[in-house]
Amino acid sequence: MKRFVALSAPALIALCFVGFAAAAHSPAAPSGVTLVSTEEGVLVSWDQNDAAAHWVAWMNDDEYRAARDAGDWTAALHYAAVPAGATHVVPAESLIKDDAYWFSVGSESRQAPAATSWSAWQSLTAIHGLMNKDDALTRAYVERAIAYYDKHGREATFAYYNSRESFQGERSMLIYEPDTLTVRVYPVFLDLVGSYFSPNSEFGGILARWKQLAVPQGDGWIEFQTLNWDTQQSEPKRSWGVMHDDLIFTSGHFILQENIGDATKNYVSKAIRYYETNGREATVAHYNSRDSLENFFYLFLMDENDIYLVHPIFPDLIATDIKDVVGTDFEGNDYELGKAIAKATEEGHWVEYMWLNPVSGREELKTTWAIRYDGLIFASGYYRPQSAQDRPWLTADPHEFTVDYVNRAIERYKDDPEAMLEYYNSVASYEGEWYLFATNANDIYIVHPFKPALKGTDIKNVVGNDGYELGKALAEAGEGVGVWVEYDWPHPATDYNAPKVSYAIRHNGMLFASGYYPAPDDQPAFAKAFVREAIDLYDHEGLNAVVDAYDEGQNSDGLWFLYLVDENDVFRVMGFAPGLVGTDFKSLYFRDVDGNPVGVEAVKTEEKEGRWVNFHWPVTGAQNFIAHLWVERHDGLLFGTAYFDTLLCVPNPYPTGTCVH
């Protein structure tokens, strides 16, 4: 639909000069006026200027012509005062659907006598319900940037939109060259202006997605996860991109909580379309891979009998019945969430429960959309992070919290043994990295949500990779007498081995146990030793041996991963994000604590030297982290690893503030 068109009818042009003549002292008429039909009405927006206030005038085309023929065209006019800001919504209820309307915006003088300068009239057909107001504001902001570009040229546009003056609330422009993915405008991180981004990098991947939409179609929306500087949380953002004169112009807004549901439904609908096009087998294969994940969105798919076919986060659930999955609601009450999801019909429904967020690694409130199609259940959901008060394990002593977690499980067993088994065999029972594992009086596993394949086996037969008989050590626990055991075990967030400390105690002969993964006492020393071990492997067995040992997280130590960058600054190994292999380290958009690109700073490391690079690492939830990256240059290669500390405040580049606690 044509969003707006400049007035060309001679009678209406004359109307501008006669009916809206400006006095000599009037301010300049508003520029950059755009019109967009929204769910709420017609959004009129314009470039802010120094006027005392603004007016929006509009009239129905048929009413104007009738009033003109009657000798008083002004009888058709409607006005609205806008005392502040540069937007106004003419409400839908005051407009006749599918009728043509004319709009103008006036700048009111600060001088007496008051006078108003009016913009050219523009027309729009009132089509109700095209988009919500946030979408309309974003599109209008991008449209004004394109109009500015057409009027002032390339260099002036780059200069203006790289300044803080160009910000409109949370909105700022990103302009880049799609052929090379080179950024020309990015006022949030000016250091990235002029940088090239590989399509395999996280930020480059976002640019590439816009390119896939905007180049063939001319424009399009995408949604992705990024840091909201105001809330200090990683949140979904919706952005509009337009291809114009060999550039892509983009801007966006964070999705309101009530609108995340639409994004969830869209993700599920896309999976259904994939199924229609490619069939069942290809759908199962694709959505069981992590390539199908879009930030916190992932698909879980059940067959006609409610048996899991797809779950990329917890593959151990595959071939089990979703109706057996039991968890908790937000208030901590037992909830048969699997049965609730299995009630999905062809109309679809929403289900809310607690579940582990793969982005934050924490249990959070999840809202899932489930719908039956062709007999199958397609489902996905979004998370609402809790506050730190709702996650006591973040600040609790880990020993004390482990004992408390196990004791609470025993109390649940006393109240209702069957309900206890259902709950603790669900990943909804996770509290951070804590989960329960339990056996019957004969030491046979009856609970293990992380490794359900162990159920039915004897815990005394469990031996670690190092040969340690950890199962026998845990089974030494006595009735009411707990034992602590240290051993290596896969971390639930990565599935890679890490040191674990577990507490086990018996009740009625049964074994109840849980544990945590302690951070090294001296994390900086551990980081250096971790890197040195990789360098020693390189010296003894060569580059290929290091790549084979650490690629895709192998040989990682729980949450510790190797970064390996070659002489050309290209990743050869990136343990926690193997998709970055082959991309330029300098292209990563993370900033160190001084605002410099992390990769650019890290690659400055000289041969036989090491250095720390500290950078902000936003995650979903009430906390952010600062990452401490240790890198060493050896034989031209850069070896590195990182650990994380809680960060209470991140600098805010937007005009709304400099720091949010």
Side-chain angles (χ1 to χ4, degrees), residues 402-403 406-407 437 474 480-485 501-505 512-515:
T402 302
V403 173
V406 171
N407 287 340
F437 53 102
L474 290 164
V481 181
V483 297
W484 290 93
V485 181
V501 178
S502 286
Y503 170 76
I505 191 170
F512 291 77
S514 187

Side-chain angles (χ1 to χ4, degrees), residues 46 48 52-54 82-87:
W46 56 94
Q48 185 63 271
H54 291 88
V82 185
T87 63

Side-chain angles (χ1 to χ4, degrees), residues 420-438:
M420 171 268 180
L421 291 175
E422 289 182 348
Y423 173 67
Y424 283 102
N425 271 312
S426 166
V427 293
S429 65
Y430 280 61
E431 296 184 15
E433 61 196 40
W434 281 265
Y435 59 86
L436 187 77
F437 53 102

Side-chain angles (χ1 to χ4, degrees), residues 7 24 96 261 288 387 445-446 476 480 517 621 652:
L7 176 69
I96 301 172
N288 268 323
S387 66
Y445 276 108
I446 56 174
E476 291 295 320
Y517 297 81
N652 186 343

Side-chain angles (χ1 to χ4, degrees), residues 191 585-586 591-606 611-614 629 631 633 638:
D191 288 340
F585 189 12
K586 300 189 299 297
R591 295 291 180 225
D592 68 14
V593 293
D594 296 319
N596 303 309
V598 169
V600 172
E601 292 302 302
V603 299
K604 293 178 181 178
T605 307
E606 299 290 339
R611 65 182 302 188
W612 290 101
V613 181
N614 303 313
L629 172 64
V631 290
R633 179 78 67 183
L638 197 66

